[in-house]
Amino acid sequence: MQFGIFSVGDVTPDPTTGRTPTEAERIKAILRIAEKAEEVGLDVFATGEHHNPPFVPSSPTTMLGWVAARTENLILSTATTLITTNDPVKIAEDFAMLQHVADGRVDLMLGRGNTGPVYPWFGKDIREGIPLAIENYALLHKLWREDVVDWEGKFRTPLQSFTATPRPLDGVPPFVWHGSIRSPEIAEQAAYYGDGFFHNNIFWPMEHTKRMVRLYRNRYAHYGHGTPEQAIVGLGGQVFMRKNSQDAVNEFRPYFDNAPVYGHGPSLEEFTSQTPLTVGSPQQVIERTLSFRKDVGDYQRQLFLMDHAGLPLKTVLEQLDILGEEVVPVLREEFAKDRPAGVPDAPTHASLRARAQESADSEAVTK
C-alpha cells in the first residue's frame, strides 16, 4: 500500500501571527515539503492544480519536474489535473515528458474542478463539466496508446494523423486515477477504463465515501477488469498530530477556523466527528485510518493533506516527521495483515511495464 501527501497550495494567512507568505515563499515551501516526504520514507507526493487565488500551483508538471531532480524514489502525482479545462493534447505531452524526466516515477489524478469562474477563463462552460471530462479523457487515453491519431469530437478541433510527443516512457502511459468527491459519473468513467478511483473524502461523511467506492468497485467488475476487490482505490484526508491529543486540538483550532475550505462553518469537533479529518495523537490517526478499511475494503493509496490553512513550514515539517516515523510504519504493517492475496498493489511504472511485456510475450506465443 502507498502512503503519501498532497498539497492544495493555498496561500493563507497564519491566523496566529497574521502574516501571509508571498507566492514565492509558498511555492518554495511546497517544494521543501515534497523533498521532506521522500526523506521520511513516504511513497507519493501530489500537488493540486489551481488557477485562482488563494492557490498557486497553476503548473503542476513544472513543480514536479523540480521535485524529480531532487528525489530518487518518490512517486510524483497530482491531486487534480483538470481534464475539463486543459487540452488533452497538452496533458498527454506534458506528463509523458515528466515520465522521461522522472524515470517513470509519475502518475496523475484527473478531476473536473469545482471552481465555476475557472471554466470561462479557459473557454469552457462548467455546465458541460461531465461531458468535457468524458470526451477529453477518451482522447487522452487514445493519444497515449496510438502513435498516429485521427479524432473528432465536440469540444476541440479535430486531429488528423497526429502524434503526441514524446511517446510514453517504455510505451507505458502513466497510470491514471480519476478523482471525485460527489460525481458518480466519474466513478463510472474510472471503472470503464479499469483505471484507479480516488475519493478525496476530506469534506463528506464516510457513508458517502463508502457508497461512491462501492459503485466504482461494482462497475469495475461489470466491465470485466477483475473482481470488485481488485479495483484500485485511493483515499484522501487531513490530519494534525501532537503527542498529546488536546495539544493538537488547541494548536490546530485557529487554522481550522480560518481555513479557506473549512472555516466559518461547522466546528472542529463537528467536522472531526462527521468526516475523516483527524486531529489528535499519532495513535488516534493510526486507529482512524485503519478504520477506513472496514468501510471501503482493502485499498491501494492513502494521501494526507498536511500543509493547508496557513500552517507554517516548520510545523508542517514536524508533522511529516511524526507521519513518517510514528504513523506510516504502523499503518504499513497493519494494512498488510489479513490482506487477501488477490488484492493488487497500486500500479507503478515498473509493474505496468512488466504487465505490458507479459501481454506481448503471451501474444507472441499464440501467433
Side-chain angles (χ1 to χ4, degrees):
M1 184 165 171
Q2 295 173 345
F3 295 94
I5 57 171
F6 69 99
S7 176
V8 297
D10 58 308
V11 181
T12 305
D14 184 333
T16 67
T17 66
R19 185 181 183 279
T20 304
T22 66
E23 290 182 327
E25 289 171 333
R26 185 68 175 105
I27 290 168
K28 294 292 188 181
I30 295 170
L31 298 177
R32 176 67 190 108
I33 289 164
E35 288 183 296
K36 184 72 170 180
E38 170 142 305
E39 291 170 15
V40 301
L42 301 183
D43 304 303
V44 183
F45 171 77
T47 175
E49 178 189 346
H50 299 277
H51 300 276
N52 56 295
F55 306 98
V56 292
S58 59
S59 181
T61 51
T62 302
M63 298 179 72
L64 294 176
W66 188 97
V67 177
R70 299 301 201 280
T71 58
E72 296 182 359
N73 302 307
L74 203 61
I75 295 171
L76 311 174
S77 190
T78 54
T80 302
T81 294
L82 298 174
I83 188 63
T84 47
T85 52
N86 280 307
D87 183 354
V89 172
K90 194 68 168 71
I91 295 176
E93 296 191 333
D94 281 354
F95 280 89
M97 177 66 78
L98 183 60
Q99 260 195 322
H100 287 270
V101 169
D103 297 323
R105 293 182 290 123
V106 173
D107 59 33
L108 70 160
M109 187 194 309
L110 299 178
R112 61 191 181 93
N114 58 8
T115 307
V118 173
Y119 278 73
W121 296 344
F122 291 88
K124 307 299 181 184
D125 186 336
I126 194 171
R127 292 170 295 184
E128 295 180 320
I130 293 293
L132 275 164
I134 293 170
E135 180 178 297
N136 283 355
Y137 183 60
L139 175 55
L140 175 60
H141 191 269
K142 190 179 184 75
L143 288 166
W144 273 337
R145 289 163 175 82
E146 297 180 18
D147 290 339
V148 181
V149 171
D150 293 300
W151 180 89
E152 185 171 352
K154 176 181 177 182
F155 296 109
R156 61 151 293 143
T157 53
L159 298 173
Q160 295 179 344
S161 301
F162 176 77
T163 299
T165 59
R167 303 305 298 147
L169 179 64
D170 301 320
V172 177
F175 184 73
V176 170
W177 302 82
H178 299 259
S180 180
I181 296 175
R182 64 187 182 279
S183 302
E185 296 93 339
I186 302 304
E188 176 79 14
Q189 183 182 43
Y192 176 80
Y193 287 99
D195 295 335
F197 178 63
F198 190 94
H199 196 271
N200 192 8
N201 58 335
I202 61 174
F203 302 118
W204 291 69
M206 201 63 192
E207 188 59 37
H208 171 76
T209 301
K210 183 177 178 179
R211 288 195 298 270
M212 289 287 283
V213 172
R214 185 191 303 124
L215 169 65
Y216 160 68
R217 288 188 184 279
N218 289 339
R219 298 302 288 172
Y220 181 95
H222 168 80
Y223 288 115
H225 300 298
T227 67
E229 294 75 24
Q230 292 173 319
I232 308 299
V233 174
L235 298 181
Q238 182 169 9
V239 298
F240 186 86
M241 299 168 286
R242 289 302 184 198
K243 183 176 181 179
N244 180 286
S245 60
Q246 192 57 51
D247 289 342
V249 170
N250 293 340
E251 185 176 350
F252 188 67
R253 187 182 301 280
Y255 296 97
F256 175 90
D257 288 345
N258 293 279
V261 298
Y262 290 135
H264 314 292
S267 70
L268 175 59
E269 285 74 17
E270 290 171 323
F271 223 93
T272 52
S273 69
Q274 297 176 29
T275 78
L277 172 65
T278 308
V279 181
S281 68
Q283 185 58 37
Q284 286 175 302
V285 170
I286 290 168
E287 292 173 0
R288 189 76 176 279
T289 306
L290 289 174
S291 74
F292 298 162
R293 180 162 59 175
K294 73 177 183 0
D295 292 308
V296 304
D298 286 279
Y299 61 110
Q300 282 74 20
R301 176 175 286 185
Q302 175 69 54
L303 299 184
F304 297 103
L305 177 60
M306 307 294 289
D307 67 332
H308 175 54
L311 286 165
L313 177 59
K314 177 178 180 294
T315 301
V316 176
L317 298 180
E318 292 169 351
Q319 292 291 303
L320 287 171
D321 279 329
I322 298 170
L323 187 69
E325 294 170 8
E326 301 183 42
V327 174
V328 166
V330 178
L331 291 177
R332 288 193 198 282
E333 182 178 350
E334 292 298 321
F335 272 113
K337 291 179 180 177
D338 302 320
R339 187 178 179 90
V343 174
D345 294 329
T348 63
H349 183 76
S351 69
L352 293 172
R353 183 178 58 196
R355 187 189 306 171
Q357 186 60 53
E358 289 175 6
S359 178
D361 292 345
S362 176
E363 185 175 332
V365 168
T366 59
K367 286 184 177 179

